[in-house]
PDB file of all heavy atoms in Angstrom:
ATOM      1  N   VAL A  92       4.016  11.730 -20.629  1.00  0.00           N
ATOM      2  CA  VAL A  92       5.339  11.508 -21.262  1.00  0.00           C
ATOM      3  C   VAL A  92       5.497  10.023 -21.593  1.00  0.00           C
ATOM      4  O   VAL A  92       6.065   9.536 -22.579  1.00  0.00           O
ATOM      5  CB  VAL A  92       6.501  11.812 -20.222  1.00  0.00           C
ATOM      6  CG1 VAL A  92       7.798  11.464 -20.700  1.00  0.00           C
ATOM      7  CG2 VAL A  92       6.377  13.376 -19.962  1.00  0.00           C
ATOM      8  N   SER A  93       5.199   9.031 -20.600  1.00  0.00           N
ATOM      9  CA  SER A  93       5.336   7.634 -20.902  1.00  0.00           C
ATOM     10  C   SER A  93       4.536   7.206 -22.031  1.00  0.00           C
ATOM     11  O   SER A  93       4.856   6.297 -22.749  1.00  0.00           O
ATOM     12  CB  SER A  93       5.083   6.862 -19.529  1.00  0.00           C
ATOM     13  OG  SER A  93       3.688   6.928 -19.156  1.00  0.00           O
ATOM     14  N   ALA A  94       3.208   7.805 -22.266  1.00  0.00           N
ATOM     15  CA  ALA A  94       2.452   7.375 -23.399  1.00  0.00           C
ATOM     16  C   ALA A  94       3.112   7.673 -24.686  1.00  0.00           C
ATOM     17  O   ALA A  94       3.036   6.919 -25.536  1.00  0.00           O
ATOM     18  CB  ALA A  94       1.098   8.028 -23.153  1.00  0.00           C
ATOM     19  N   ILE A  95       3.734   8.858 -24.765  1.00  0.00           N
ATOM     20  CA  ILE A  95       4.483   9.265 -25.977  1.00  0.00           C
ATOM     21  C   ILE A  95       5.689   8.296 -26.128  1.00  0.00           C
ATOM     22  O   ILE A  95       5.884   7.867 -27.220  1.00  0.00           O
ATOM     23  CB  ILE A  95       4.826  10.722 -25.952  1.00  0.00           C
ATOM     24  CG1 ILE A  95       3.645  11.602 -25.827  1.00  0.00           C
ATOM     25  CG2 ILE A  95       5.849  11.018 -27.049  1.00  0.00           C
ATOM     26  CD1 ILE A  95       3.818  13.017 -25.542  1.00  0.00           C
ATOM     27  N   CYS A  96       6.398   8.087 -25.135  1.00  0.00           N
ATOM     28  CA  CYS A  96       7.515   7.198 -25.154  1.00  0.00           C
ATOM     29  C   CYS A  96       7.218   5.813 -25.576  1.00  0.00           C
ATOM     30  O   CYS A  96       8.025   5.094 -26.373  1.00  0.00           O
ATOM     31  CB  CYS A  96       8.345   7.207 -23.954  1.00  0.00           C
ATOM     32  SG  CYS A  96       8.977   8.784 -23.457  1.00  0.00           S
ATOM     33  N   ALA A  97       6.054   5.362 -25.130  1.00  0.00           N
ATOM     34  CA  ALA A  97       5.697   3.946 -25.541  1.00  0.00           C
ATOM     35  C   ALA A  97       4.872   3.869 -26.899  1.00  0.00           C
ATOM     36  O   ALA A  97       4.519   2.736 -27.316  1.00  0.00           O
ATOM     37  CB  ALA A  97       4.751   3.464 -24.471  1.00  0.00           C
ATOM     38  N   HIS A  98       4.869   5.036 -27.556  1.00  0.00           N
ATOM     39  CA  HIS A  98       4.073   5.098 -28.830  1.00  0.00           C
ATOM     40  C   HIS A  98       2.685   4.348 -28.715  1.00  0.00           C
ATOM     41  O   HIS A  98       2.398   3.445 -29.650  1.00  0.00           O
ATOM     42  CB  HIS A  98       4.958   4.409 -29.858  1.00  0.00           C
ATOM     43  CG  HIS A  98       6.347   4.989 -29.997  1.00  0.00           C
ATOM     44  ND1 HIS A  98       6.465   6.192 -30.641  1.00  0.00           N
ATOM     45  CD2 HIS A  98       7.539   4.585 -29.703  1.00  0.00           C
ATOM     46  CE1 HIS A  98       7.850   6.560 -30.577  1.00  0.00           C
ATOM     47  NE2 HIS A  98       8.462   5.596 -30.000  1.00  0.00           N
ATOM     48  N   ILE A  99       1.907   4.713 -27.739  1.00  0.00           N
ATOM     49  CA  ILE A  99       0.615   4.030 -27.514  1.00  0.00           C
ATOM     50  C   ILE A  99      -0.375   4.295 -28.758  1.00  0.00           C
ATOM     51  O   ILE A  99      -0.282   5.348 -29.435  1.00  0.00           O
ATOM     52  CB  ILE A  99       0.030   4.243 -26.160  1.00  0.00           C
ATOM     53  CG1 ILE A  99      -0.416   5.672 -26.177  1.00  0.00           C
ATOM     54  CG2 ILE A  99       0.971   3.937 -25.066  1.00  0.00           C
ATOM     55  CD1 ILE A  99      -1.355   5.993 -24.825  1.00  0.00           C
ATOM     56  N   SER A 100      -1.245   3.394 -28.897  1.00  0.00           N
ATOM     57  CA  SER A 100      -2.416   3.616 -29.829  1.00  0.00           C
ATOM     58  C   SER A 100      -3.643   4.156 -29.114  1.00  0.00           C
ATOM     59  O   SER A 100      -3.678   4.238 -27.892  1.00  0.00           O
ATOM     60  CB  SER A 100      -2.737   2.268 -30.552  1.00  0.00           C
ATOM     61  OG  SER A 100      -3.256   1.370 -29.502  1.00  0.00           O
ATOM     62  N   TYR A 101      -4.545   4.504 -29.937  1.00  0.00           N
ATOM     63  CA  TYR A 101      -5.870   5.010 -29.270  1.00  0.00           C
ATOM     64  C   TYR A 101      -6.623   3.897 -28.493  1.00  0.00           C
ATOM     65  O   TYR A 101      -7.106   4.147 -27.468  1.00  0.00           O
ATOM     66  CB  TYR A 101      -6.803   5.518 -30.320  1.00  0.00           C
ATOM     67  CG  TYR A 101      -7.883   6.385 -29.846  1.00  0.00           C
ATOM     68  CD1 TYR A 101      -7.640   7.852 -29.868  1.00  0.00           C
ATOM     69  CD2 TYR A 101      -9.096   5.940 -29.260  1.00  0.00           C
ATOM     70  CE1 TYR A 101      -8.654   8.664 -29.229  1.00  0.00           C
ATOM     71  CE2 TYR A 101     -10.025   6.798 -28.820  1.00  0.00           C
ATOM     72  CZ  TYR A 101      -9.847   8.151 -28.784  1.00  0.00           C
ATOM     73  OH  TYR A 101     -10.716   8.982 -28.199  1.00  0.00           O
ATOM     74  N   GLU A 102      -6.340   2.639 -29.035  1.00  0.00           N
ATOM     75  CA  GLU A 102      -6.895   1.487 -28.163  1.00  0.00           C
ATOM     76  C   GLU A 102      -6.242   1.359 -26.759  1.00  0.00           C
ATOM     77  O   GLU A 102      -6.910   1.100 -25.860  1.00  0.00           O
ATOM     78  CB  GLU A 102      -6.748   0.253 -29.026  1.00  0.00           C
ATOM     79  CG  GLU A 102      -7.473   0.172 -30.306  1.00  0.00           C
ATOM     80  CD  GLU A 102      -9.106   0.227 -29.954  1.00  0.00           C
ATOM     81  OE1 GLU A 102      -9.549  -0.169 -29.067  1.00  0.00           O
ATOM     82  OE2 GLU A 102      -9.719   0.735 -30.806  1.00  0.00           O
ATOM     83  N   ALA A 103      -4.882   1.582 -26.856  1.00  0.00           N
ATOM     84  CA  ALA A 103      -4.234   1.544 -25.613  1.00  0.00           C
ATOM     85  C   ALA A 103      -4.810   2.604 -24.633  1.00  0.00           C
ATOM     86  O   ALA A 103      -4.844   2.554 -23.410  1.00  0.00           O
ATOM     87  CB  ALA A 103      -2.720   1.558 -25.743  1.00  0.00           C
ATOM     88  N   TYR A 104      -4.991   3.810 -25.304  1.00  0.00           N
ATOM     89  CA  TYR A 104      -5.511   5.014 -24.477  1.00  0.00           C
ATOM     90  C   TYR A 104      -6.832   4.640 -23.958  1.00  0.00           C
ATOM     91  O   TYR A 104      -7.087   5.037 -22.731  1.00  0.00           O
ATOM     92  CB  TYR A 104      -5.585   6.109 -25.508  1.00  0.00           C
ATOM     93  CG  TYR A 104      -6.226   7.366 -24.955  1.00  0.00           C
ATOM     94  CD1 TYR A 104      -5.777   8.070 -23.719  1.00  0.00           C
ATOM     95  CD2 TYR A 104      -7.220   7.991 -25.569  1.00  0.00           C
ATOM     96  CE1 TYR A 104      -6.477   9.199 -23.231  1.00  0.00           C
ATOM     97  CE2 TYR A 104      -7.806   9.113 -25.123  1.00  0.00           C
ATOM     98  CZ  TYR A 104      -7.497   9.694 -24.051  1.00  0.00           C
ATOM     99  OH  TYR A 104      -8.049  10.882 -23.520  1.00  0.00           O
ATOM    100  N   LEU A 105      -7.661   4.009 -24.642  1.00  0.00           N
ATOM    101  CA  LEU A 105      -9.006   3.621 -24.060  1.00  0.00           C
ATOM    102  C   LEU A 105      -8.928   2.760 -22.915  1.00  0.00           C
ATOM    103  O   LEU A 105      -9.664   2.776 -21.999  1.00  0.00           O
ATOM    104  CB  LEU A 105      -9.846   2.929 -25.156  1.00  0.00           C
ATOM    105  CG  LEU A 105     -10.362   3.756 -26.429  1.00  0.00           C
ATOM    106  CD1 LEU A 105     -10.959   2.842 -27.300  1.00  0.00           C
ATOM    107  CD2 LEU A 105     -11.182   4.799 -25.850  1.00  0.00           C
ATOM    108  N   GLU A 106      -7.886   1.974 -22.906  1.00  0.00           N
ATOM    109  CA  GLU A 106      -7.616   0.965 -21.716  1.00  0.00           C
ATOM    110  C   GLU A 106      -6.709   1.484 -20.661  1.00  0.00           C
ATOM    111  O   GLU A 106      -6.263   0.906 -19.738  1.00  0.00           O
ATOM    112  CB  GLU A 106      -7.076  -0.376 -22.372  1.00  0.00           C
ATOM    113  CG  GLU A 106      -8.014  -0.961 -23.263  1.00  0.00           C
ATOM    114  CD  GLU A 106      -7.422  -2.302 -23.987  1.00  0.00           C
ATOM    115  OE1 GLU A 106      -6.342  -2.642 -23.534  1.00  0.00           O
ATOM    116  OE2 GLU A 106      -8.110  -2.760 -24.893  1.00  0.00           O
ATOM    117  N   ASN A 107      -6.354   2.850 -20.828  1.00  0.00           N
ATOM    118  CA  ASN A 107      -5.450   3.527 -19.816  1.00  0.00           C
ATOM    119  C   ASN A 107      -4.123   2.829 -19.758  1.00  0.00           C
ATOM    120  O   ASN A 107      -3.450   2.789 -18.658  1.00  0.00           O
ATOM    121  CB  ASN A 107      -6.147   3.457 -18.409  1.00  0.00           C
ATOM    122  CG  ASN A 107      -7.351   4.356 -18.371  1.00  0.00           C
ATOM    123  OD1 ASN A 107      -7.360   5.357 -19.101  1.00  0.00           O
ATOM    124  ND2 ASN A 107      -8.319   3.970 -17.491  1.00  0.00           N
ATOM    125  N   LYS A 108      -3.490   2.253 -20.857  1.00  0.00           N
ATOM    126  CA  LYS A 108      -2.256   1.670 -20.926  1.00  0.00           C
ATOM    127  C   LYS A 108      -1.277   2.787 -21.341  1.00  0.00           C
ATOM    128  O   LYS A 108      -0.938   2.918 -22.501  1.00  0.00           O
ATOM    129  CB  LYS A 108      -2.262   0.468 -21.764  1.00  0.00           C
ATOM    130  CG  LYS A 108      -3.154  -0.666 -21.268  1.00  0.00           C
ATOM    131  CD  LYS A 108      -3.167  -1.862 -22.150  1.00  0.00           C
ATOM    132  CE  LYS A 108      -4.067  -3.084 -21.674  1.00  0.00           C
ATOM    133  NZ  LYS A 108      -4.024  -4.194 -22.721  1.00  0.00           N
ATOM    134  N   TYR A 109      -0.601   3.524 -20.431  1.00  0.00           N
ATOM    135  CA  TYR A 109       0.076   4.599 -20.810  1.00  0.00           C
ATOM    136  C   TYR A 109       1.655   4.370 -20.771  1.00  0.00           C
ATOM    137  O   TYR A 109       2.404   5.170 -21.173  1.00  0.00           O
ATOM    138  CB  TYR A 109      -0.149   5.839 -19.754  1.00  0.00           C
ATOM    139  CG  TYR A 109      -1.419   6.356 -19.887  1.00  0.00           C
ATOM    140  CD1 TYR A 109      -2.390   6.132 -18.821  1.00  0.00           C
ATOM    141  CD2 TYR A 109      -1.757   7.184 -20.835  1.00  0.00           C
ATOM    142  CE1 TYR A 109      -3.694   6.712 -18.800  1.00  0.00           C
ATOM    143  CE2 TYR A 109      -3.197   7.688 -20.949  1.00  0.00           C
ATOM    144  CZ  TYR A 109      -3.973   7.468 -19.933  1.00  0.00           C
ATOM    145  OH  TYR A 109      -5.250   8.010 -20.000  1.00  0.00           O
ATOM    146  N   GLY A 110       1.950   3.135 -20.452  1.00  0.00           N
ATOM    147  CA  GLY A 110       3.350   2.771 -20.355  1.00  0.00           C
ATOM    148  C   GLY A 110       4.066   3.245 -19.039  1.00  0.00           C
ATOM    149  O   GLY A 110       3.405   3.812 -18.184  1.00  0.00           O
ATOM    150  N   THR A 111       5.282   3.005 -18.793  1.00  0.00           N
ATOM    151  CA  THR A 111       5.890   3.300 -17.659  1.00  0.00           C
ATOM    152  C   THR A 111       7.272   4.005 -17.796  1.00  0.00           C
ATOM    153  O   THR A 111       7.729   4.519 -16.798  1.00  0.00           O
ATOM    154  CB  THR A 111       6.169   2.034 -16.866  1.00  0.00           C
ATOM    155  OG1 THR A 111       6.908   1.070 -17.648  1.00  0.00           O
ATOM    156  CG2 THR A 111       4.821   1.327 -16.452  1.00  0.00           C
ATOM    157  N   ASP A 112       7.821   3.976 -19.026  1.00  0.00           N
ATOM    158  CA  ASP A 112       9.121   4.534 -19.230  1.00  0.00           C
ATOM    159  C   ASP A 112       9.020   6.082 -19.678  1.00  0.00           C
ATOM    160  O   ASP A 112       8.098   6.499 -20.268  1.00  0.00           O
ATOM    161  CB  ASP A 112       9.875   3.865 -20.314  1.00  0.00           C
ATOM    162  CG  ASP A 112      10.051   2.344 -19.950  1.00  0.00           C
ATOM    163  OD1 ASP A 112      10.292   2.145 -18.662  1.00  0.00           O
ATOM    164  OD2 ASP A 112      10.162   1.491 -20.888  1.00  0.00           O
ATOM    165  N   ALA A 113      10.106   6.814 -19.249  1.00  0.00           N
ATOM    166  CA  ALA A 113      10.162   8.204 -19.685  1.00  0.00           C
ATOM    167  C   ALA A 113      11.320   8.287 -20.641  1.00  0.00           C
ATOM    168  O   ALA A 113      12.353   7.557 -20.655  1.00  0.00           O
ATOM    169  CB  ALA A 113      10.471   9.030 -18.453  1.00  0.00           C
ATOM    170  N   CYS A 114      11.295   9.376 -21.449  1.00  0.00           N
ATOM    171  CA  CYS A 114      12.349   9.630 -22.507  1.00  0.00           C
ATOM    172  C   CYS A 114      12.418  11.138 -22.714  1.00  0.00           C
ATOM    173  O   CYS A 114      11.317  11.878 -22.505  1.00  0.00           O
ATOM    174  CB  CYS A 114      12.063   8.837 -23.674  1.00  0.00           C
ATOM    175  SG  CYS A 114      10.562   9.144 -24.631  1.00  0.00           S
ATOM    176  N   ASN A 115      13.413  11.699 -23.158  1.00  0.00           N
ATOM    177  CA  ASN A 115      13.656  13.057 -23.570  1.00  0.00           C
ATOM    178  C   ASN A 115      12.606  13.535 -24.617  1.00  0.00           C
ATOM    179  O   ASN A 115      12.103  14.644 -24.485  1.00  0.00           O
ATOM    180  CB  ASN A 115      14.979  13.332 -23.880  1.00  0.00           C
ATOM    181  CG  ASN A 115      15.997  13.327 -22.724  1.00  0.00           C
ATOM    182  OD1 ASN A 115      15.623  13.474 -21.614  1.00  0.00           O
ATOM    183  ND2 ASN A 115      17.256  13.060 -22.984  1.00  0.00           N
ATOM    184  N   SER A 116      12.386  12.642 -25.574  1.00  0.00           N
ATOM    185  CA  SER A 116      11.490  13.068 -26.735  1.00  0.00           C
ATOM    186  C   SER A 116       9.984  13.195 -26.156  1.00  0.00           C
ATOM    187  O   SER A 116       9.283  14.080 -26.623  1.00  0.00           O
ATOM    188  CB  SER A 116      11.564  12.090 -27.856  1.00  0.00           C
ATOM    189  OG  SER A 116      11.135  10.723 -27.447  1.00  0.00           O
ATOM    190  N   GLY A 117       9.730  12.398 -25.226  1.00  0.00           N
ATOM    191  CA  GLY A 117       8.369  12.512 -24.554  1.00  0.00           C
ATOM    192  C   GLY A 117       8.159  13.918 -23.856  1.00  0.00           C
ATOM    193  O   GLY A 117       7.154  14.454 -23.886  1.00  0.00           O
ATOM    194  N   ARG A 118       9.291  14.115 -23.012  1.00  0.00           N
ATOM    195  CA  ARG A 118       9.184  15.323 -22.277  1.00  0.00           C
ATOM    196  C   ARG A 118       9.033  16.529 -23.115  1.00  0.00           C
ATOM    197  O   ARG A 118       8.360  17.525 -22.938  1.00  0.00           O
ATOM    198  CB  ARG A 118      10.447  15.357 -21.358  1.00  0.00           C
ATOM    199  CG  ARG A 118      10.425  14.310 -20.269  1.00  0.00           C
ATOM    200  CD  ARG A 118      11.677  14.556 -19.356  1.00  0.00           C
ATOM    201  NE  ARG A 118      11.870  13.462 -18.463  1.00  0.00           N
ATOM    202  CZ  ARG A 118      12.856  12.559 -18.636  1.00  0.00           C
ATOM    203  NH1 ARG A 118      13.551  12.498 -19.708  1.00  0.00           N
ATOM    204  NH2 ARG A 118      12.926  11.510 -17.805  1.00  0.00           N
ATOM    205  N   GLU A 119       9.872  16.527 -24.229  1.00  0.00           N
ATOM    206  CA  GLU A 119       9.992  17.616 -25.107  1.00  0.00           C
ATOM    207  C   GLU A 119       8.546  17.844 -25.855  1.00  0.00           C
ATOM    208  O   GLU A 119       8.041  18.976 -25.978  1.00  0.00           O
ATOM    209  CB  GLU A 119      11.054  17.447 -26.198  1.00  0.00           C
ATOM    210  CG  GLU A 119      12.433  17.515 -25.663  1.00  0.00           C
ATOM    211  CD  GLU A 119      13.501  17.126 -26.735  1.00  0.00           C
ATOM    212  OE1 GLU A 119      13.058  16.695 -27.739  1.00  0.00           O
ATOM    213  OE2 GLU A 119      14.677  17.157 -26.309  1.00  0.00           O
ATOM    214  N   ARG A 120       7.931  16.606 -26.203  1.00  0.00           N
ATOM    215  CA  ARG A 120       6.712  16.789 -26.922  1.00  0.00           C
ATOM    216  C   ARG A 120       5.546  17.305 -25.881  1.00  0.00           C
ATOM    217  O   ARG A 120       4.679  18.071 -26.393  1.00  0.00           O
ATOM    218  CB  ARG A 120       6.081  15.464 -27.504  1.00  0.00           C
ATOM    219  CG  ARG A 120       5.094  15.496 -28.309  1.00  0.00           C
ATOM    220  CD  ARG A 120       4.792  14.292 -29.177  1.00  0.00           C
ATOM    221  NE  ARG A 120       5.892  13.991 -30.106  1.00  0.00           N
ATOM    222  CZ  ARG A 120       5.977  12.991 -30.743  1.00  0.00           C
ATOM    223  NH1 ARG A 120       4.918  12.151 -31.060  1.00  0.00           N
ATOM    224  NH2 ARG A 120       6.994  12.696 -31.667  1.00  0.00           N
ATOM    225  N   VAL A 121       5.584  16.895 -24.602  1.00  0.00           N
ATOM    226  CA  VAL A 121       4.544  17.363 -23.731  1.00  0.00           C
ATOM    227  C   VAL A 121       4.840  18.894 -23.564  1.00  0.00           C
ATOM    228  O   VAL A 121       3.864  19.685 -23.440  1.00  0.00           O
ATOM    229  CB  VAL A 121       4.721  16.654 -22.377  1.00  0.00           C
ATOM    230  CG1 VAL A 121       3.897  17.250 -21.236  1.00  0.00           C
ATOM    231  CG2 VAL A 121       4.189  15.225 -22.542  1.00  0.00           C
ATOM    232  N   SER A 122       6.118  19.273 -23.399  1.00  0.00           N
ATOM    233  CA  SER A 122       6.409  20.735 -23.198  1.00  0.00           C
ATOM    234  C   SER A 122       5.888  21.457 -24.374  1.00  0.00           C
ATOM    235  O   SER A 122       5.303  22.628 -24.198  1.00  0.00           O
ATOM    236  CB  SER A 122       7.880  21.041 -22.966  1.00  0.00           C
ATOM    237  OG  SER A 122       8.336  20.351 -21.801  1.00  0.00           O
ATOM    238  N   LYS A 123       6.053  20.977 -25.610  1.00  0.00           N
ATOM    239  CA  LYS A 123       5.572  21.761 -26.716  1.00  0.00           C
ATOM    240  C   LYS A 123       4.076  21.754 -26.756  1.00  0.00           C
ATOM    241  O   LYS A 123       3.569  22.805 -27.100  1.00  0.00           O
ATOM    242  CB  LYS A 123       6.174  21.010 -27.980  1.00  0.00           C
ATOM    243  CG  LYS A 123       5.625  21.652 -29.334  1.00  0.00           C
ATOM    244  CD  LYS A 123       6.306  20.992 -30.547  1.00  0.00           C
ATOM    245  CE  LYS A 123       7.779  21.466 -30.630  1.00  0.00           C
ATOM    246  NZ  LYS A 123       8.281  20.947 -31.964  1.00  0.00           N
ATOM    247  N   ALA A 124       3.409  20.760 -26.308  1.00  0.00           N
ATOM    248  CA  ALA A 124       1.966  20.608 -26.373  1.00  0.00           C
ATOM    249  C   ALA A 124       1.427  21.753 -25.315  1.00  0.00           C
ATOM    250  O   ALA A 124       0.470  22.345 -25.728  1.00  0.00           O
ATOM    251  CB  ALA A 124       1.432  19.204 -25.863  1.00  0.00           C
ATOM    252  N   LEU A 125       1.988  21.796 -24.200  1.00  0.00           N
ATOM    253  CA  LEU A 125       1.680  22.763 -23.168  1.00  0.00           C
ATOM    254  C   LEU A 125       1.809  24.271 -23.721  1.00  0.00           C
ATOM    255  O   LEU A 125       0.819  25.130 -23.580  1.00  0.00           O
ATOM    256  CB  LEU A 125       2.387  22.536 -21.829  1.00  0.00           C
ATOM    257  CG  LEU A 125       2.113  21.329 -21.161  1.00  0.00           C
ATOM    258  CD1 LEU A 125       3.106  21.063 -19.859  1.00  0.00           C
ATOM    259  CD2 LEU A 125       0.663  21.285 -20.641  1.00  0.00           C
ATOM    260  N   ALA A 126       2.852  24.460 -24.335  1.00  0.00           N
ATOM    261  CA  ALA A 126       3.202  25.908 -24.937  1.00  0.00           C
ATOM    262  C   ALA A 126       2.111  26.231 -26.015  1.00  0.00           C
ATOM    263  O   ALA A 126       1.554  27.272 -26.035  1.00  0.00           O
ATOM    264  CB  ALA A 126       4.611  25.943 -25.376  1.00  0.00           C
ATOM    265  N   ILE A 127       1.922  25.282 -26.951  1.00  0.00           N
ATOM    266  CA  ILE A 127       1.075  25.468 -28.024  1.00  0.00           C
ATOM    267  C   ILE A 127      -0.398  25.570 -27.508  1.00  0.00           C
ATOM    268  O   ILE A 127      -1.141  26.601 -27.966  1.00  0.00           O
ATOM    269  CB  ILE A 127       1.152  24.322 -29.037  1.00  0.00           C
ATOM    270  CG1 ILE A 127       2.425  24.411 -29.813  1.00  0.00           C
ATOM    271  CG2 ILE A 127      -0.096  24.443 -29.969  1.00  0.00           C
ATOM    272  CD1 ILE A 127       2.653  23.277 -30.684  1.00  0.00           C
ATOM    273  N   GLY A 128      -0.830  24.778 -26.612  1.00  0.00           N
ATOM    274  CA  GLY A 128      -2.192  24.868 -25.988  1.00  0.00           C
ATOM    275  C   GLY A 128      -2.338  26.246 -25.387  1.00  0.00           C
ATOM    276  O   GLY A 128      -3.436  26.794 -25.669  1.00  0.00           O
TER     277      GLY A 128
END
């Protein structure tokens, strides 16, 4: 959720920089990802 809210890049992902903040849009996108998966 925090990675989505922080709009991280692939480079940040490589360095495990996921951010720390939560947001509704992040929760919704993760929920959608789980359902689609």
Side-chain angles (χ1 to χ4, degrees):
V92 170
S93 62
I95 294 168
C96 297
H98 304 287
I99 71 169
S100 64
Y101 200 93
E102 293 300 329
Y104 172 55
L105 288 175
E106 298 175 7
N107 295 327
K108 294 179 179 179
Y109 293 108
T111 57
D112 297 329
C114 61
N115 288 333
S116 60
R118 296 187 188 94
E119 291 172 0
R120 191 169 298 185
V121 169
S122 294
K123 178 174 286 189
L125 292 172
I127 290 173

